[in-house]
Amino acid sequence: MLFMCLGVHAVQAQITTGENSSKVIRTGNRAQAGNFGIYFGATTDMFKNLGKGSKKFSCAPLINIKYMQSDRLEYRLGLEWWKESTSSDYDGHKSSVSESSFMFYPGVAYHFSRNNLLDVYVGGDLPIGFGSKGAEEGDEDSSASQFKVGLGAFIGLQAYIANLPLALGVEYGVNTLYNHVGDGTMTQDGMTIQSIQKDLSQSQWKIGHQVRFTLSYYFNL
């Protein structure tokens, strides 16, 4: 009887240990409530001007700082910078047009699945930022400031890598953005010669879309 009791106790101990181990594996390799994350996104806009000799495009990857409010609800704040310029040289007459932008993307995402491997989510954000637009022709330079605000939506898929706090994924986003162009100035040989009343471009709404290839790293503070 004593040996039987000891045997039953040993079996129960093994089953309990197995359940605990299984629980750790089930939840140990995906983002959970209370986790923070850093997300790096390479967007299709970063590569759109490759091979175009007259255009130059420089940028920083889209960076998101994320916080998991729950296993399904995520808050995020994205940062993005880019600069684009186009130049021409016709019979020794050189001219160029440039535009730069620094954007913030506060947003929220909802994750549908608690699956360890694949994670599908949708969300929205509020693009807001500022930038400048300029033109150069001979010894004359024109420039104007810009303010941008809009609405965006995205859908994403990411895969967690083994038990590491990393995830590779892809997002598709669309947005509508209002670009307000402020009054600018014109300079000649470095001296201001007149003010410009929004002649570089008109304030307008624009609709855009892009694909983002993402790498996320999750951690606890």
Side-chain angles (χ1 to χ4, degrees):
M1 180 66 69
L2 177 60
F3 289 111
M4 291 179 61
C5 291
L6 290 175
V8 171
H9 179 73
V11 170
Q12 289 177 340
Q14 290 174 358
I15 293 174
T16 302
T17 302
E19 290 176 347
N20 289 340
S21 175
S22 175
K23 184 176 181 180
V24 170
I25 293 173
R26 180 177 59 83
T27 61
N29 61 339
R30 64 161 292 122
Q32 304 172 68
N35 288 162
F36 289 86
I38 298 178
Y39 154 130
F40 300 93
T43 68
T44 48
D45 287 345
M46 296 172 62
F47 311 104
K48 65 180 181 180
N49 292 315
L50 291 178
K52 297 180 180 180
S54 62
K55 287 191 175 184
K56 294 182 180 180
F57 188 79
S58 56
C59 62
L62 175 63
I63 300 174
N64 266 314
I65 300 171
K66 306 194 289 187
Y67 174 69
M68 298 297 296
Q69 176 66 27
S70 69
D71 288 354
R72 294 182 183 271
L73 183 63
E74 168 198 313
Y75 297 131
R76 55 168 63 186
L77 174 62
L79 305 172
E80 184 179 40
W81 171 86
W82 58 265
K83 181 178 181 180
E84 181 180 43
S85 62
T86 304
S87 60
S88 63
D89 188 347
Y90 181 74
D91 264 350
H93 184 76
K94 297 181 179 180
S95 63
S96 64
V97 176
S98 63
E99 184 175 2
S100 64
S101 182
F102 187 82
M103 300 293 297
F104 297 92
Y105 294 89
V108 63
Y110 180 81
H111 297 253
F112 289 101
S113 173
R114 295 181 180 178
N115 187 284
N116 269 358
L117 182 60
L118 293 179
D119 180 21
V120 180
Y121 56 92
V122 297
D125 52 28
L126 178 66
I128 183 170
F130 55 89
S132 63
K133 191 168 186 177
E136 181 178 349
E137 187 170 351
D139 59 354
E140 292 184 356
D141 295 305
S142 304
S143 62
S145 61
Q146 300 182 93
F147 174 74
K148 303 178 181 183
V149 65
L151 291 172
F154 55 87
I155 182 170
L157 171 68
Q158 63 181 358
Y160 293 95
I161 304 174
N163 286 325
L164 300 177
L166 294 174
L168 292 172
V170 61
E171 284 183 3
Y172 175 74
V174 296
N175 65 58
T176 176
L177 195 68
Y178 179 71
N179 181 26
H180 173 74
V181 181
D183 294 343
T185 58
M186 179 179 289
T187 62
Q188 188 173 49
D189 294 327
M191 299 184 65
T192 301
I193 57 177
Q194 63 176 307
S195 295
I196 305 170
Q197 299 297 319
K198 303 179 182 178
D199 71 333
L200 294 177
S201 68
Q202 295 297 316
S203 301
Q204 58 183 330
W205 283 96
K206 291 182 178 180
I207 297 177
H209 64 94
Q210 62 178 212
V211 177
R212 308 162 184 160
F213 302 96
T214 68
L215 171 66
S216 298
Y217 173 79
Y218 293 94
F219 59 93
N220 288 317
L221 292 180

